[in-house]
Amino acid sequence: MKTTRNTTAKTAVLEVFEKSKTALSHTEIQKQLNDICDRVTIYRILDRLLNDDIIHKISNQDGTVKYAKCNHSHQKVHIHNHAHFSCENCNEITCLETVKPSYIMPHNYKVNEINFTLSGLCPKCLNSNI
Amino acid sequence: MKTTRNTTAKTAVLEVFEKSKTALSHTEIQKQLNDICDRVTIYRILDRLLNDDIIHKISNQDGTVKYAKCNHSHQKVHIHNHAHFSCENCNEITCLETVKPSYIMPHNYKVNEINFTLSGLCPKCLNSNI
DNA sequence: AAATTAACGCAACAATGTTGCTTTTGTTTT
DNA sequence: AAAACAAAAGCAACATTGTTGCGTTAATTT
Ligand SMILES: [Mn+2]
Ligand SMILES: [Mn+2]
Ligand SMILES: [Zn+2]
Ligand SMILES: [Zn+2]
């Protein structure tokens, strides 16, 4: 059985996530790490963290991919049913943990996951744009 | 004022969309066109069709980008508020024109657009997997 | 038919992500 | 504490996707 190790790079990446209030792209993580490791290493760390349900991936409408820490209290079954907000002005993506959409599906579909992203102006940008 | 022209390549791309029941990626379009034009040309045609609200763009959770024809009856204000379904088995993406999520947002956000993608098994794959 | 310019083809480039292979390092075992 | 083991890192090379500049082609107007 394959065990996971706590390397310095992985710890550093986790610290970056811990400090950030918003979701982060691979490039943003790399910049914050000040090149303490190779970019491939960051990709592999992200893969592991995704696999261990420590972070989740958010694909934005514009094609950018970001990652954010999961803040669930380690349930057995891990479901990401919350929405995300993408600000058109500052391009920050935040988890909206409280926003869970309700919807009616046609028959004969099996839904395993949902991805609900809203875009517009975040509170910060809305206030500064009065 | 810049006018748009009906070129053979653009007409061919539109025909591909017309024939397809599912959303198409740039690569899928290129294959169906049998290289009648350069790949850059397809990108530029897609840009124009997006701009003219003839197609809309769907970014999937896995990072793939697809496009589908808009089937609205040319309203003045164009809103894409329908959901999309992404099949984990056949990787097809379809518009769910009838599925429109309801949700409650926190204050101080201005929502301009929503992007709601569900993934799982489509009716076709669900039936063949019994 | 000639003029105009949107659109095309091609080459070059950029961003993002993946893979193979050797070396390093975290963890377990002796 | 040293040796053994294997996960993870580093590095180079490659793949995919999308963009840009520029000379040429072709759709549309005059
Ligand atoms: Mn989570
Ligand atoms: Mn539409
Ligand atoms: Zn903002
Ligand atoms: Zn399917």
Side-chain angles (χ1 to χ4, degrees), chain A residues 61 105 109 111 113-115, chain B residues 23 56-60 66-69 80-87 92-101 114-120:
Chain A
Q61 184 66 5
M105 278 294 288
Y109 282 91
V111 175
E113 239 180 296
I114 67 164
N115 170 24
Chain B
H56 55 285
K57 186 176 174 176
I58 309 148
S59 292
N60 200 18
K66 300 209 175 188
Y67 305 86
K69 262 214 106 183
H80 287 287
N81 57 348
H82 62 271
H84 294 106
F85 191 83
S86 168
C87 180
E92 284 184 356
I93 294 181
T94 43
C95 297
L96 299 173
E97 309 270 357
T98 58
V99 180
K100 288 161 192 189
I114 68 164
N115 170 23
F116 187 39
T117 307
L118 305 107
S119 52

Side-chain angles (χ1 to χ4, degrees), chain A residues 53-75:
Chain A
D53 282 328
I54 293 167
I55 60 172
H56 55 285
K57 185 176 175 176
I58 309 149
S59 291
N60 200 18
Q61 184 66 5
D62 64 13
T64 56
V65 175
K66 300 208 176 188
Y67 306 87
K69 261 213 108 182
C70 295
N71 75 341
H72 49 74
S73 40
H74 269 293
Q75 297 120 327

Side-chain angles (χ1 to χ4, degrees), chain B residues 3-117:
Chain B
T3 55
T4 184
R5 294 181 182 177
N6 285 321
T7 62
T8 49
K10 185 183 165 189
T11 309
V13 169
L14 276 174
E15 264 171 37
V16 169
F17 275 119
E18 213 67 65
K19 271 187 281 182
S20 178
K21 282 181 196 288
T22 61
L24 299 165
S25 68
H26 169 272
T27 313
E28 287 166 340
I29 295 166
Q30 193 182 5
K31 277 176 193 156
Q32 289 207 36
L33 288 181
N34 262 88
D35 292 298
I36 66 154
C37 68
D38 197 79
R39 45 187 292 277
V40 178
T41 301
I42 301 176
Y43 278 116
R44 295 201 257 232
I45 290 172
L46 291 172
D47 278 347
R48 273 179 276 149
L49 294 178
L50 280 174
N51 234 289
D52 296 346
D53 282 328
I54 293 168
I55 60 172
H56 55 285
K57 186 176 174 176
I58 309 148
S59 292
N60 200 18
Q61 185 65 5
D62 63 13
T64 57
V65 175
K66 300 209 175 188
Y67 305 86
K69 262 214 106 183
C70 294
N71 75 340
H72 49 76
S73 41
H74 268 294
Q75 297 120 326
K76 293 258 164 52
V77 181
H78 190 151
I79 303 166
H80 287 287
N81 57 348
H82 62 271
H84 294 106
F85 191 83
S86 168
C87 180
E88 291 164 357
N89 183 247
C90 67
N91 292 312
E92 284 184 356
I93 294 181
T94 43
C95 297
L96 299 173
E97 309 270 357
T98 58
V99 180
K100 288 161 192 189
S102 59
Y103 55 94
I104 300 161
M105 278 293 287
H107 297 302
N108 294 319
Y109 282 90
K110 183 173 187 300
V111 175
N112 290 335
E113 240 180 295
I114 68 164
N115 170 23
F116 187 39
T117 307

Side-chain angles (χ1 to χ4, degrees), chain A residues 43-104:
Chain A
Y43 278 117
R44 296 201 256 233
I45 290 171
L46 291 172
D47 279 348
R48 273 179 275 150
L49 294 177
L50 280 174
N51 235 287
D52 296 346
D53 282 328
I54 293 167
I55 60 172
H56 55 285
K57 185 176 175 176
I58 309 149
S59 291
N60 200 18
Q61 184 66 5
D62 64 13
T64 56
V65 175
K66 300 208 176 188
Y67 306 87
K69 261 213 108 182
C70 295
N71 75 341
H72 49 74
S73 40
H74 269 293
Q75 297 120 327
K76 293 257 163 50
V77 181
H78 189 150
I79 303 167
H80 287 288
N81 57 349
H82 62 270
H84 293 106
F85 192 83
S86 168
C87 180
E88 291 165 357
N89 183 246
C90 67
N91 292 312
E92 282 183 357
I93 294 181
T94 43
C95 296
L96 299 173
E97 310 271 357
T98 58
V99 180
K100 288 161 190 186
S102 59
Y103 54 93
I104 301 160

